[in-house]
Amino acid sequence: MRWAAQTLDVDDGALPGLERAGLVRSVQTPEFEGITFHEVLCKSALNKTPEAPNLPFRFTVNTFRGCSHACRYCFARPTHEYLDLDAGRDFDSRIVVKTNVAAVLRRELARRSWKREHVALGTNTDPYQRAEGRYRLMPGVIRALAESGTPFSILTKGTLLRRDLPLLTLAAGQVDVGVAVSLAIGEPDLQKQIEPGTPSPKARLDLIRAVSDAGLPCHVMVAPVIPCLTDSTRHLDDLLGAISAAGATGVTVLPMHLRGATRGWFLSWLGQEHPALIRRYRQIYGRGAYVSPEYKTWLKDRVDPLVSRYGLGARVAEHRRPVAAPPRPAAESADPTLF
C-alpha cells in the first residue's frame, strides 16, 4: 500500500506511523463515543498479496485499519503496531479511514495493465464496521469494481451490508459477486464478551437470510471456533442448524489462531474470565499460534457430521499461514487470509 507523504512503497500492513500516513485530520463525534477516526489520503487502494497456493485471491481492498468490532481474537490486531499504536484498545478505538479509497480504486482499475482479477474485501478489518455508516465508502468501491468488470467478494460481521444489497444485486448482474458472513458464536452472552462491538448472532442470522432473499449466495465463516468455549457438540449443532435455517449456501469452519500480539490480548482476557482453561490452552497451542494437529483432527471429526446433517457442504479449513511481510514482526501480512 502506498500512502501520501511517504517516500517508500510498502505493503498495506507496513504503515510506519500516523505522522507519515497522509493524515488529514483526527475526528471524534458524540455518536461514536470513545472512538477516534484518523482520516488519511491513500495513494493506492489495490493491495497485491504475495503469491501463495492456499490463497483464492491475489488482490484486496481495505477501507479501514483498526476495527470497532473489538473481537478479542482478531488476527489483525498486530497491524496497529505499525502505526505506533497498541494492538489492544487502540486497535478497537482508533480507526484509520481511507477517505479517498473509492476514487483511487477507480483510477487503478482503469489501467490497461489491470486484468480484472478477483478482489477480496474484508480480508483484514471489517468493511461494514460501524464507521461505514458514517463514511459510506463501500458503495463507491462496489460501483468501481462492477463498472470495471472486476469480480469481487465481501466478508463481514456487519449488518450494515443490508444497506448495499440492492447495489450488490445490480453488481452481480455485471460480475461475479461473493458474499460471506462471519458467525462463530451462537450464545449471545458469550458473544458480547468476546465480540463486544459486533451485531448479535440473531442480527447476523437475519443478515444471512436477507442476502439469500436478495438472490445472492451466502457463505458463512464459522470462524474462529474457540477451544473449550465454542467447540462443544451442542454449540456447534445449534449454530449450524440456525445457519442452515437462515438459508446459507455453505460454511467453512476454522479453529482460532493467535498470532503476535493477539495471543497476549486474548489470553489476558481468558485468564481473567476463564482461568481454569489456561492449562488446556497451553496443551492445545503450545508456544505457537496454531492449534495442535490433534485438536484440528478432533474438531474436524466433530464438525463434519453436523455439516453433512445440515447440508452445508463445508470443511474445517486449514490455517493459512502468514505470508512475507515488511521487516517487523506480526504483520497485517499483506492481507494474507480471508478469515
Side-chain angles (χ1 to χ4, degrees):
M1 190 72 175
R2 299 175 181 88
W3 295 80
Q6 285 186 246
T7 58
L8 296 178
D9 292 346
V10 294
D11 286 332
D12 195 16
L15 197 63
L18 283 169
E19 70 279 2
R20 288 175 287 165
L23 180 66
V24 176
R25 64 173 184 165
S26 295
V27 180
Q28 293 179 326
T29 63
E31 63 268 33
F32 291 91
E33 184 178 358
I35 294 178
T36 300
F37 297 114
H38 301 291
E39 299 175 357
V40 302
L41 295 177
C42 60
K43 286 188 175 180
S44 178
L46 279 171
N47 181 53
K48 185 177 181 180
T49 67
E51 292 189 37
N54 57 350
L55 287 177
F57 53 83
R58 300 253 347 260
F59 291 90
T60 66
V61 172
N62 287 293
T63 51
F64 302 108
R65 295 186 53 140
C67 188
S68 60
H69 286 341
C71 301
R72 299 187 185 277
Y73 53 73
C74 183
F75 77 91
R77 286 185 174 278
T79 66
H80 246 43
E81 294 173 343
Y82 291 104
L83 306 172
D84 298 328
L85 300 173
D86 71 59
R89 298 194 185 283
D90 283 350
F91 181 84
D92 301 339
S93 63
R94 301 184 67 177
I95 311 301
V96 176
V97 185
K98 304 172 188 178
T99 55
N100 63 335
V101 64
V104 173
L105 176 63
R106 187 175 292 274
R107 185 170 66 242
E108 291 178 329
L109 296 174
R111 293 173 180 167
R112 290 185 179 181
S113 59
W114 176 242
K115 301 184 183 300
R116 297 177 176 84
E117 294 186 51
H118 181 96
V119 173
L121 303 153
T123 63
N124 202 29
T125 53
D126 199 314
Y128 284 104
Q129 60 179 283
R130 288 182 60 217
E132 172 61 16
R134 172 183 172 88
Y135 288 98
R136 299 184 63 87
L137 301 177
M138 284 298 289
V141 169
I142 292 167
R143 290 190 184 97
L145 291 166
E147 291 170 9
S148 70
T150 300
F152 64 93
S153 60
I154 297 171
L155 172 63
T156 184
K157 293 182 173 109
T159 53
L160 188 57
L161 179 138
R162 296 182 72 156
R163 181 200 67 195
D164 291 343
L165 280 177
L167 184 58
L168 288 169
T169 302
L170 288 174
Q174 300 173 270
V175 297
D176 289 336
V177 175
V179 177
V181 174
S182 176
L183 177 56
I185 305 176
E187 299 174 6
D189 290 342
L190 185 62
Q191 175 262 331
K192 289 178 183 178
Q193 294 179 39
I194 299 179
E195 305 172 343
T198 61
S200 69
K202 181 183 182 303
R204 277 181 271 172
L205 289 169
D206 290 343
L207 174 62
I208 296 165
R209 190 171 292 107
V211 173
S212 179
D213 289 346
L216 297 170
C218 186
H219 196 81
V220 176
M221 301 301 301
V222 181
V225 174
I226 302 173
C228 310
L229 293 176
T230 66
D231 59 1
S232 69
T233 299
R234 178 177 179 180
H235 181 272
L236 292 168
D237 192 358
D238 290 347
L239 181 61
L240 292 173
I243 289 170
S244 177
T249 51
V251 298
T252 298
V253 183
L254 177 75
M256 181 174 67
H257 61 267
L258 297 171
R259 296 203 304 266
T262 301
R263 180 183 176 104
W265 184 249
F266 180 85
L267 292 180
S268 175
W269 171 83
L270 189 74
Q272 293 176 8
E273 300 296 329
H274 303 278
L277 295 180
I278 293 295
R279 178 177 295 180
R280 178 62 178 140
Y281 267 66
R282 288 173 181 160
Q283 296 171 342
I284 293 173
Y285 288 93
R287 296 183 178 179
Y290 298 89
V291 298
S292 66
E294 293 79 11
Y295 181 87
K296 186 186 299 182
T297 299
W298 175 86
L299 181 61
K300 183 178 187 301
D301 290 344
R302 173 161 289 189
V303 166
D304 282 356
L306 299 174
V307 168
S308 179
R309 177 189 303 171
Y310 292 112
L312 290 169
R315 58 188 174 85
V316 175
E318 294 292 326
H319 283 296
R320 292 173 178 169
R321 300 280 176 171
V323 293
R328 285 183 67 174
E332 191 171 58
S333 304
D335 302 301
T337 173
L338 183 62
F339 309 121

